[in-house]
Amino acid sequence: MCGHCGCDVPVVPRRIDLQRNLLERNDNQALLNRLHFSEHGLLAVNLMSAPGSGKTALLEELARRWPQRPLGVIVGDLATDNDARRLQQAGARAHQIRTGDLCHLEASQVALAFAQLEHSGMNLLVIENVGNLVCPAAFDLGESLRLVLFSVTEGEDKPLKYPGLFQRADAVVISKIDLAEAAGFDRQLALDNLQAVAPHAQLFETSARSGAGLAALLGWLQDALPS
Amino acid sequence: MHELALIEELCLLAADSAAQQGATTIHSLQVRIGDRAGVDAAALQMAFAVLAQHPRWSGTKLELEVVTTRCFCPHCKQAFTPLDVIHLCPQCGSLSTHLLQGRELELVSMEVS
Ligand SMILES: Nc1nc2c(ncn2[C@@H]2O[C@H](COP(=O)(O)OP(=O)(O)OP(=O)(O)O)[C@@H](O)[C@H]2O)c(=O)[nH]1
Ligand SMILES: [Mg+2]
Ligand SMILES: [Zn+2]
Ligand SMILES: [Zn+2]
């Protein structure tokens, strides 16, 4: 049948060339976000790690130390607004996104959250992604920098197991270094693995507990601020 | 994983394009996924099977082509296929950070009538 009138002319399918990116809606929104952030003179950072690697703890310390301006944070979790409350207590302007069952943040969610964040006088916006080392890698949020964190208790081979995320990182933070000895962390092995998959990434080693390494990270972020 | 969300995105794109072309039936979708795109071909097929319970898609075949990672070595000015996740140039042994392919998530074409 031809599909129109029920006659018996056989259907000959025709091929349409499309070459369309499946993430194009997200990528278009990310582009808008990027423009928007830049109009506001904001440095936007996408912070990603496995669940519990210490993203929020690091941002609490950053909020306490970030000079002169309030630190802006958009934070995504499957449920609860615990992280936003922790960050607000540390002095950040934080907005929580509850993603329900979504394993990553998308550009449209960030746009909505940003509209609800009082961003006057802010020069740094960190987007704490959902704890997940796979899915967030594919979704551009409109950030200028990608920061990937992994803690000394997660195993030295994290970068080899999740290369996608590490390969696209501008900087990698090894976190919880106060626990390195107790965890039997092989620092040289971790650095070798990082060097192998992310040779271009700037490296920081921090502890939110002791404050070690925070000044270096702070300085790097300040240098990256739009002039 | 977000395979279901990707499949929804794919179906939106396909339905839109079919409508623009005045097509009523989508016979097949040709989709290219990179092996570094963070999605699994089998999981994508499963997600599509869930959607294909809807009559709109029950006659549509999803054809996946997995694209292997290719890198570019700036020293040798040459493309190469890395052996694993470490992008070591087989010629000179330097690490490449320049990916030529492997992150595709693309609706390449479709067959309609
Ligand atoms: N000893 C030590 N513990 C830390 C450090 N940073 C975080 N933690 C602890 O690790 C746990 C998880 O920290 P969070 O900051 O909530 O981690 P997160 O990455 O934000 O977690 P999700 O948002 O759930 O993915 C908490 O119990 C923190 O107290 C650190 O530098 N040293
Ligand atoms: Mg957190
Ligand atoms: Zn996912
Ligand atoms: Zn080479």
Side-chain angles (χ1 to χ4, degrees):
Chain A
M1 292 195 304
C2 73
H4 296 292
C5 64
C7 70
D8 2 310
V9 177
V11 175
V12 185
R14 61 181 199 278
R15 182 181 292 263
I16 307 176
D17 281 326
L18 292 165
Q19 315 282 3
R20 300 275 293 270
N21 175 2
L22 294 187
L23 299 179
E24 71 180 30
R25 281 202 308 166
N26 184 76
D27 289 355
N28 291 342
Q29 181 61 54
L31 200 65
L32 292 177
N33 291 357
R34 192 164 281 119
L35 279 172
H36 199 180
F37 297 149
S38 123
E39 277 166 7
H40 286 276
L42 274 171
L43 174 67
V45 177
N46 188 353
L47 176 61
M48 294 169 279
S49 80
S53 302
K55 297 180 292 300
T56 308
L58 181 71
L59 292 180
E60 288 175 281
E61 294 314 311
L62 203 62
R64 294 195 176 101
R65 290 167 172 79
W66 190 246
Q68 282 137 22
R69 315 283 191 102
L71 176 71
V73 184
I74 291 172
V75 51
D77 284 293
L78 300 188
T80 85
D81 57 2
N82 293 347
D83 281 6
R85 273 193 281 118
R86 278 167 60 187
L87 289 159
Q88 282 158 2
Q89 273 159 23
R93 288 188 194 155
H95 184 87
Q96 182 80 45
I97 299 175
R98 286 186 214 81
T99 62
D101 55 3
L102 200 63
C103 44
H104 56 268
L105 287 178
E106 296 190 359
S108 56
Q109 296 171 307
V110 170
L112 285 175
F114 185 64
Q116 294 179 56
L117 197 66
E118 170 49 48
H119 49 260
S120 63
M122 217 158 76
N123 58 1
L124 175 61
L125 173 71
V126 182
I127 304 160
E128 181 187 326
N129 220 310
V130 180
N132 183 322
L133 280 171
V134 181
C135 308
F139 292 86
D140 185 3
L141 303 178
E143 71 273 8
S144 311
L145 293 174
R146 294 179 149 218
L147 211 63
V148 174
L149 197 137
F150 82 107
S151 68
V152 297
T153 57
E154 292 174 49
E156 296 81 358
D157 54 357
K158 263 280 149 71
L160 301 182
K161 286 180 176 164
Y162 300 93
L165 198 59
F166 286 93
Q167 272 156 356
R168 295 163 94 171
D170 296 291
V172 173
V173 178
I174 299 179
S175 62
K176 309 191 191 181
I177 57 168
D178 57 294
L179 299 176
E181 209 181 322
F185 182 64
D186 186 340
R187 176 174 179 271
Q188 195 51 53
L189 181 58
L191 296 186
D192 290 348
N193 290 341
L194 267 176
Q195 175 60 29
V197 297
H200 57 284
Q202 185 76 33
L203 177 74
F204 299 98
E205 298 171 77
T206 65
S207 164
R209 208 42 66 79
S210 74
L214 294 175
L217 178 60
L218 214 83
W220 183 75
L221 288 168
Q222 281 180 293
D223 287 344
L225 285 175
S227 39
Chain B
M1 289 307 283
H2 49 273
E3 273 82 3
L4 206 54
L6 279 178
I7 289 295
E8 280 169 11
E9 215 53 45
L10 167 68
C11 291
L12 274 178
L13 259 181
D16 263 10
S17 313
Q20 275 170 29
Q21 304 272 338
T24 50
T25 310
I26 301 176
H27 300 271
S28 65
L29 299 166
Q30 285 73 46
V31 171
R32 193 179 283 151
I33 56 174
D35 60 0
R36 290 293 159 69
V39 297
D40 179 58
L44 269 185
Q45 284 292 4
M46 259 162 59
F48 188 71
V50 171
L51 212 97
Q53 288 168 0
H54 190 279
R56 174 80 170 88
W57 299 102
S58 59
T60 308
K61 249 178 67 188
L62 174 62
E63 296 167 1
L64 295 177
E65 179 200 350
V66 178
V67 177
T68 46
T69 306
R70 294 273 291 167
C71 297
F72 183 77
C73 175
H75 306 291
C76 307
K77 307 233 179 319
Q78 226 172 193
F80 66 94
T81 302
L83 291 176
D84 56 25
V85 301
I86 301 170
H87 299 163
L88 217 55
C89 171
Q91 290 271 354
C92 71
S94 62
L95 288 163
S96 165
T97 56
H98 185 168
L99 223 63
L100 295 172
Q101 60 174 52
R103 290 199 183 116
E104 292 77 0
L105 280 174
E106 202 179 35
L107 172 56
V108 181
S109 59
M110 60 185 188
E111 285 190 314
V112 299
S113 62

